[in-house]
Amino acid sequence: MFIDTFIDKVKLALASSTCVYCEQKLQDGIKFCSRCHEKLGLRQPKAILSSPSCSIHAATNFNPNIKRILYGHKFYNRVEHIPVLSGLLTQYWESLPPSSGFKVVHPENVLVIPIPPHHGELSRIELFASQMARHFGYDYRPDLLSWMREIKPQHRIHDKKTRLQNISQSLYLKSGVISGYEKVIVVDDITTTGATFMEAARAFRSEAASPEETGNKLVCLAVTRVPLGAQIRAAEVE
Ligand SMILES: [Zn+2]
């Protein structure tokens, strides 16, 4: 009896952690306390868009706190935001129901690929996408997707059709790699119209054995979903 209680206490101590955002003590292995969960706008685990070639998810709904974290990371190199960003992806991913198919696959059969940086830019996605992959024991390959040509920044284009034209046929996937994986997660910071993810899905389709293979394997995950027209400039952040 005493031993059982002791073991329970040790288990509890091992499982305890602090909220990634406010550092309040937590006891059930979750990443964010309920207050921060709400503050950061964590979404219910449900795809924003499901198409035959992929499903698109976002961990949070855009809000002033996410704006500050994401743009601080992107434009001001705030390294303290990296665990928060990877924590948001991780917590969202963990909340996906078994029906999503992610609870049954072996971690080594899952691959995480970040959307690559544009020419001359550092990859900001890589820093938190790699942490998320490490958390779950997934494979991580930042070298598989690359830009075939330069595109205009999507956030400067304000209609869906022009965004799709801008990004069409711009991503290239290294051949012969994805066939060994059951699931592939493509990670980006922001999704608005889903155009970048749909272009990634096109690149995957050109490498897949069948269109169904891409649809079954590919999941796109962004930190946040920004409504079209709500894009912000770095100067507005702080
Ligand atoms: Zn908190």
Side-chain angles (χ1 to χ4, degrees), residues 29-198:
I30 54 169
K31 295 259 168 199
F32 299 94
C33 70
S34 54
R35 230 178 113 240
C36 293
H37 197 281
E38 202 168 305
K39 229 164 124 180
L40 297 169
L42 265 148
R43 290 167 47 86
Q44 291 297 317
K46 193 171 177 288
I48 292 169
L49 189 149
S50 290
S51 81
S53 50
C54 70
S55 58
I56 297 178
H57 293 256
T60 65
N61 287 317
F62 197 53
N63 63 71
N65 293 310
I66 287 294
K67 173 173 156 177
R68 196 175 54 76
I69 294 166
L70 212 44
Y71 282 71
H73 168 70
K74 205 173 164 118
F75 299 112
Y76 300 93
N77 197 25
R78 296 279 164 84
V79 289
E80 70 274 23
H81 294 331
I82 297 169
V84 181
L85 293 166
S86 84
L88 290 166
L89 295 180
T90 304
Q91 177 127 346
Y92 179 84
W93 206 247
E94 272 173 348
S95 67
L96 283 175
S99 59
S100 65
F102 274 86
K103 307 290 165 172
V104 291
V105 291
H106 297 292
E108 62 272 23
N109 293 340
V110 182
L111 173 66
V112 175
I113 303 178
I115 291 289
H118 290 287
H119 183 70
E121 285 177 10
L122 284 173
S123 176
R124 297 280 164 202
I125 318 297
E126 188 168 339
L127 297 167
F128 55 83
S130 59
Q131 278 199 6
M132 181 230 181
R134 203 174 315 130
H135 174 89
F136 291 107
Y138 296 162
D139 272 357
Y140 178 73
R141 293 285 302 270
D143 57 323
L144 299 183
L145 259 185
S146 48
W147 296 103
M148 289 190 282
R149 60 176 176 81
E150 282 306 303
I151 59 159
K152 274 188 218 154
Q154 290 283 82
H155 65 264
R156 295 208 189 125
I157 304 169
H158 301 290
D159 73 282
K160 191 174 178 175
K161 199 176 154 210
T162 316
R163 278 177 170 237
L164 283 169
Q165 283 168 351
N166 180 49
I167 206 155
S168 167
Q169 305 277 327
S170 61
L171 279 170
Y172 163 79
L173 180 75
K174 210 178 233 180
S175 63
V177 187
I178 56 158
S179 57
Y181 293 94
E182 279 181 56
K183 292 280 177 190
V184 179
I185 309 167
V186 172
V187 174
D188 204 353
D189 51 0
I190 290 168
T191 185
T192 302
T193 57
T196 306
F197 282 147
M198 293 310 283

